[in-house]
Amino acid sequence: SQKIEQNSEALNIQEGKTATLTCNYTNYSPAYLQWYRQDPGRGPVFLLLIRENEKEKRKERLKVTFDTTLKQSLFHITASQPADSATYLCALYTGTASKLTFGTGTRLQVTL
Amino acid sequence: GAVVSQHPSWVICKSGTSVKIECRSLDFQATTMFWYRQFPKQSLMLMATSNEGSKATYEQGVEKDKFLINHASLTLSTLTVTSAHPEDSSFYICSGLPGGSYGYTFGSGTRLTVV
């Protein structure tokens, strides 16, 4: 069956450290993968996209890697801040009717 | 950036009544919009794809007669939850894909509580 799993339900890190979130998928062949941030009671906000033929993408303090052999994406937030605390969702786009399929999400808590 | 305006942000209704949720793309035209449902501490589950000027496409297991979708213009899609029951209580979110973008823009969501 198809699955998109993200690491641990919650991730707690100290301010200034690098947060690393994992997204693993099975039985998908995504054309690209996206990462979103979701705050409580709000809709997701698009952060980054990485295509199947790309290994790494960066945007300010964010970095995403994509390994189609391992079927895994890693999402890094460097120099994390309390304002980075939120739930982060990975989503796969397979090209079928422009649909996105979301992972389970990882809640990140950055403490002082 | 692109904005999707979703209303209402929250609604409480009695069991058996119907509720309409609106999503408007404010600065782009959306021939397609997507409706999701999210239960507490769970991820977004796609319910249906709304197509401007034609019938919506529903995901497996979603009752099309219960969740009525209308996409009458390029900037407005509506979801009506008919004969709502407590198990329909959830967070409903719409999204659209602005032209030239690969990142989907989401509405702020509607918290539906059926009592």
Side-chain angles (χ1 to χ4, degrees):
Chain A
S1 63
Q2 295 178 314
K3 281 193 300 186
I4 306 171
E5 293 179 313
Q6 296 186 238
N7 66 319
S8 65
E9 204 171 304
L11 181 64
N12 295 296
I13 65 164
Q14 200 174 20
E15 182 182 22
K17 303 290 186 184
T18 296
T20 299
L21 285 65
T22 305
C23 176
N24 294 293
Y25 59 93
T26 54
N27 294 321
Y28 282 103
S29 296
Y32 55 78
L33 184 148
Q34 301 184 350
W35 283 88
Y36 288 80
R37 168 185 172 139
Q38 186 178 26
D39 290 288
R42 308 291 294 176
V45 174
F46 172 71
L47 296 175
L48 277 170
L49 174 153
I50 187 164
R51 300 177 193 282
E52 60 180 339
N53 60 349
E54 296 175 319
K55 297 291 185 187
E56 182 180 297
K57 264 290 186 57
R58 290 175 185 262
K59 179 183 175 182
E60 298 172 352
R61 294 185 296 111
L62 308 180
K63 184 178 85 170
V64 173
T65 62
F66 195 10
D67 188 325
T68 55
T69 301
L70 291 178
K71 296 187 184 298
Q72 180 183 79
S73 175
L74 298 179
F75 177 78
H76 307 271
I77 305 176
T78 58
S80 58
Q81 304 165 1
D84 296 325
S85 299
T87 295
Y88 292 85
L89 301 161
C90 69
L92 302 186
Y93 175 89
T94 59
T96 305
S98 301
K99 294 194 295 189
L100 280 184
T101 304
F102 282 86
T104 49
T106 298
R107 188 166 58 84
L108 173 67
Q109 184 70 42
V110 182
T111 54
L112 295 171
Chain B
V3 175
V4 170
S5 176
Q6 184 172 346
H7 293 281
S9 55
W10 62 270
V11 58
I12 302 172
C13 71
K14 290 185 177 180
S15 199
T17 61
S18 296
V19 172
K20 181 187 282 189
I21 302 169
E22 287 190 353
C23 263
R24 293 181 185 274
S25 54
L26 297 187
D27 47 6
F28 68 97
Q29 294 184 328
T31 54
T32 302
M33 294 194 84
F34 303 90
W35 287 94
Y36 294 84
R37 181 167 50 183
Q38 186 176 34
F39 291 106
K41 296 190 177 181
Q42 293 187 24
S43 192
L44 283 74
M45 295 300 296
L46 181 65
M47 298 175 64
T49 301
S50 160
N51 303 299
E52 187 265 336
S54 65
K55 291 183 180 180
T57 305
Y58 291 82
E59 295 300 301
Q60 192 172 10
V62 177
E63 301 174 56
K64 61 180 181 181
D65 294 332
K66 180 170 185 60
F67 298 99
L68 300 179
I69 289 174
N70 184 279
H71 195 151
S73 77
L74 288 172
T75 58
L76 175 64
S77 176
T78 61
L79 168 69
T80 301
V81 182
T82 63
S83 187
H85 288 100
E87 56 266 31
D88 298 323
S89 298
S90 188
F91 192 54
Y92 293 85
I93 316 173
C94 62
S95 77
L97 184 62
S101 169
Y102 288 97
Y104 290 70
T105 299
F106 285 80
S108 54
T110 297
R111 171 74 57 196
L112 170 63
T113 303
V114 185
V115 297

